[in-house]
């Protein structure tokens, strides 16, 4: 492979930023309005998200003696955390979100030492059910935004439905007729196109962009000092464990792409770095971070495997995070356009859960019952939380969270019905993870 000069390294790094940009900024764009942030706070949330994405990426790629997988992987906010963060923010406040993120990051660093033992309790039937529950719980958010956002005077108007439909159709068309890099940034391009159409319809305002400053410094605990709530911590820890399992698969698949054989020490260092990245996300009031498989796909597509390219991407992300006007430009996207993009993105979360469940033996009635009860209880708890209205508040905070109660149901029922299978070999589970993610990045 030819030696890359600084210009080529920077250009290829920017390509990685573009590939993950939509996935990075759409999380604060969804979570911010859902928990009641104003335009200024939302712009800051987007900025700090980009900045800490860069820190997390550099931590993982450069690494050290005890941290970092030292492979060309970019970290971004895990989509599985969106629903739980919204639920925690609405029930216990924004500071509880960051307390839970910090605590779950510390737990991830500890659990990384015992990952092989933990994985036994999270086979595909459990992780698939958890991810499916999270995806299903997010669909109402997407539909409300597609209509213009709850409480908006134009809710359900023909203009909003047109913009949402246009954005959705553009994503579908681009995924039908394009491949590789263009397909990878289809969501970003569709958001831009939808916003341009909305501008000519007189819906878009650039006032927030004009008012935003050109530069600012990041500030730890911008939204207040974190508070620590048991049910919130448990929720984010479950999300973190699912992310750990997914990241293990990404590491193994990327190791194959880069022709580097990974051992258990490498996996532990990678997961430890991911846990530290989650803690940093909590301190800077951003998000929990995990390995982005779309960037692994870009490595496989371009055949550029040098870490310098991803180091450049991490630096670019940090620079973008210091420029409020860049973040403010993102906030002009109309809610209906965002909702149109959310429908397939959240649907993909459900699809990921179904893909995980595809390796489950559904000829066994016990497995059917595990999925049926966990998803049924999780969704039911989220839709009708009043069913637990007479329970003590400490218990109610736990069981009213559909993701927690659904996940615990899946874990417990799997222990009841599949106790023998839980003791299956570690190597078989790792091979299955590698195969799943190898298929995903092709």
């Amino acid at each position: 492979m030819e030696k890359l000069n600084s210009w080529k390294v920077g250009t290829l790094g920017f390509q990685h930023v573009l590939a993950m940009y939509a996935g990075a900024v759409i999380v604060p764009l969804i979570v911010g309005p859902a928990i009641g942030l104003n335009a200024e706070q939302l712009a800051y949330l987007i900025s700090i998200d980009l900045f800490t994405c860069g820190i997390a990426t550099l931590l993982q790629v450069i690494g050290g003696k005890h941290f970092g997988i030292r492979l060309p992987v970019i970290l971004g906010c895990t989509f599985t955390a969106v629903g739980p963060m919204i639920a925690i923010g609405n029930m216990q406040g924004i500071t509880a979100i960051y307390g839970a993120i910090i605590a779950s990051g510390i737990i991830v660093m500890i659990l990384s030492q015992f990952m092989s033992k933990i994985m036994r309790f999270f086979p595909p039937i459990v992780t698939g059910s958890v991810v499916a529950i999270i995806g299903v719980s997010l669909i109402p958010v997407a539909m409300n935004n597609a209509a213009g956002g709850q409480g908006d005077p134009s809710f359900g108007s023909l203009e909003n439905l047109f913009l949402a439909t246009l954005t959705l159709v553009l994503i579908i068309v681009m995924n039908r007729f394009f491949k590789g890099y263009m397909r990878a940034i289809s969501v970003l391009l569709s958001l831009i196109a939808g916003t341009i159409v909305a501008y000519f319809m007189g819906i878009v305002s650039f006032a927030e962009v004009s008012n935003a400053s050109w530069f600012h410094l990041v500030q730890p605990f911008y939204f207040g000092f974190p508070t620590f709530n048991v049910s919130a911590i448990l929720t984010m820890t479950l999300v973190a464990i699912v992310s750990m399992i997914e990241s293990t698969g990404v590491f193994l698949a990327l190791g194959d792409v880069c022709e580097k054989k990974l051992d258990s020490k490498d996996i532990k260092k990678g997961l430890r770095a991911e846990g530290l990245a989650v803690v940093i996300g909590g301190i800077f009031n951003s998000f929990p971070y995990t390995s982005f498989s779309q960037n692994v796909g870009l490595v496989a597509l371009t055949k550029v495997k040098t870490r310098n390219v991803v180091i450049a991407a991490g630096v670019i992300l940090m620079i973008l995070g210091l420029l409020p006007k860049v973040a403010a430009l993102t906030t002009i996207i109309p809610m209906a356009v965002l909702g149109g993009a959310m429908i397939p993105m959240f649907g993909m979360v459900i699809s990921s859960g179904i893909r995980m469940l595809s390796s489950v033996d559904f000829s066994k009635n016990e497995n059917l019952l595990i999925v049926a009860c966990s998803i049924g209880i999780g969704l039911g708890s989220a839709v009708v939380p009043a069913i637990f209205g007479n329970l003590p508040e400490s218990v109610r905070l736990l069981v009213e969270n559909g993701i927690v109660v659904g996940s615990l149901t899946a874990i417990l029922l799997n222990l009841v019905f599949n106790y023998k299978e839980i003791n299956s070999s570690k190597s078989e589970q790792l091979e299955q993870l590698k195969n799943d993610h190898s298929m995903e990045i092709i």
Side-chain angles (χ1 to χ4, degrees):
M1 188 179 70
E2 66 171 312
K3 188 174 181 180
L4 300 175
N5 59 35
S6 299
W7 172 255
K8 288 182 179 178
V9 168
T11 304
L12 289 167
F14 189 64
Q15 181 175 252
H16 270 285
V17 172
L18 286 177
M20 60 80 69
Y21 191 80
V25 301
I26 204 166
V27 172
L29 281 172
I30 295 164
V31 174
I35 60 175
L37 299 188
N38 60 36
E40 182 183 349
Q41 291 172 323
L42 179 58
Y44 180 84
L45 189 63
I46 295 167
S47 292
I48 198 63
D49 177 37
L50 293 173
F51 185 82
T52 43
C53 271
I55 293 178
T57 296
L58 294 178
L59 177 68
Q60 190 69 281
V61 177
I62 297 174
K65 185 177 180 181
H66 302 291
F67 293 91
I69 195 70
R70 294 176 62 82
L71 288 173
V73 59
I74 284 197
L75 273 70
C77 179
T78 172
F79 240 72
T80 51
V82 171
M85 286 190 293
I86 293 172
I88 294 168
N90 288 332
M91 290 175 67
Q92 294 144 1
I94 189 170
T95 56
I97 296 176
Y98 297 114
I101 290 173
I102 292 170
S104 66
I106 294 170
I107 292 169
V108 166
M109 285 193 284
I110 296 170
L111 294 182
S112 63
Q113 289 295 113
F114 314 101
M115 190 57 191
S116 60
K117 294 182 175 67
I118 295 165
M119 282 176 61
R120 295 182 304 158
F121 300 98
F122 289 86
I125 194 165
V126 173
T127 55
S129 297
V130 171
V131 173
I133 292 166
I134 291 171
V136 169
S137 70
L138 285 170
I139 293 299
V141 177
M143 297 306 290
N144 278 319
N145 285 338
Q150 269 188 322
D152 191 277
S154 65
F155 188 88
S157 67
L158 289 177
E159 289 85 358
N160 286 335
L161 296 181
F162 167 73
L163 288 171
T165 303
L166 174 66
T167 309
L168 174 59
V169 168
L170 285 172
I171 292 172
I172 293 170
V173 168
M174 293 189 71
N175 277 272
R176 170 63 180 84
F177 294 105
F178 294 96
K179 291 184 179 180
Y181 180 62
M182 289 297 290
R183 179 183 287 182
I185 62 170
S186 61
V187 172
L188 178 62
L189 293 178
S190 299
L191 287 171
I192 293 170
T195 303
I196 291 172
V197 172
Y199 173 76
F200 286 108
M201 293 170 63
I203 296 173
V204 174
S205 169
F206 286 91
E208 291 298 331
V209 181
S210 300
N211 295 333
S213 59
W214 280 103
F215 178 82
H216 71 167
L217 293 173
V218 296
Q219 179 183 333
F221 306 123
Y222 178 85
F223 293 109
F225 198 77
T227 54
F228 298 92
N229 183 283
V230 174
S231 66
I233 292 170
L234 180 57
T235 302
M236 294 308 300
T237 299
L238 286 167
V239 170
I241 291 173
V242 172
S243 293
M244 287 173 74
I245 294 169
E246 290 180 339
S247 291
T248 300
V250 171
F251 295 155
L252 293 169
L254 185 57
D256 272 2
V257 170
C258 295
E259 299 174 348
K260 178 183 177 181
K261 188 170 179 60
L262 301 177
D263 57 26
S264 60
K265 289 183 180 178
D266 293 319
I267 300 295
K268 287 177 183 178
K269 286 170 65 177
L271 294 176
R272 206 176 291 136
E274 193 165 293
L276 182 55
V278 173
V279 174
I280 291 170
I283 291 172
F284 283 102
N285 286 176
S286 56
F287 302 103
Y289 293 101
T290 189
S291 305
F292 264 22
S293 58
Q294 57 262 51
N295 290 90
V296 180
L298 191 56
V299 172
L301 180 70
T302 61
K303 309 297 183 187
V304 178
K305 304 168 186 176
T306 174
R307 290 186 298 141
N308 290 342
V309 168
V310 177
I311 291 171
V315 173
I316 291 169
L317 284 167
M318 291 181 68
I319 293 171
L320 290 175
L322 297 174
L323 305 175
K325 277 198 184 292
V326 174
L329 194 62
T330 309
T331 65
I332 69 172
I333 300 172
M335 200 62 72
V337 172
L338 198 58
M342 286 179 192
I343 293 170
M345 293 182 77
F346 292 168
M348 287 298 287
V349 177
I350 301 173
S351 298
S352 295
I354 294 171
R355 180 179 58 80
M356 293 176 186
L357 291 170
S358 65
S359 61
V360 174
D361 181 8
F362 281 115
S363 64
K364 294 172 63 176
N365 194 60
E366 296 93 331
N367 289 338
L368 289 170
L369 196 60
I370 292 170
V371 175
C373 290
S374 59
I375 294 179
I377 291 173
L379 184 59
S381 175
V383 174
V384 192
I387 192 174
F388 303 112
N390 292 325
L391 294 176
E393 185 178 355
S394 57
V395 179
R396 196 168 69 245
L397 287 173
L398 186 65
V399 295
E400 283 182 354
N401 189 318
I403 296 163
V404 172
V405 72
S407 301
L408 291 177
T409 301
I411 295 167
L412 293 174
L413 287 181
N414 184 60
L415 282 169
V416 171
F417 289 121
N418 296 321
Y419 179 76
K420 291 181 180 179
E421 284 80 356
I422 285 173
N423 294 315
S424 63
S425 71
K426 173 178 67 175
S427 59
E428 287 178 4
Q429 295 177 38
L430 290 174
E431 189 63 31
Q432 180 64 44
L433 277 172
K434 183 174 76 174
N435 291 339
D436 286 347
H437 287 274
S438 295
M439 290 171 59
E440 186 176 304
I441 67 175
I442 291 174

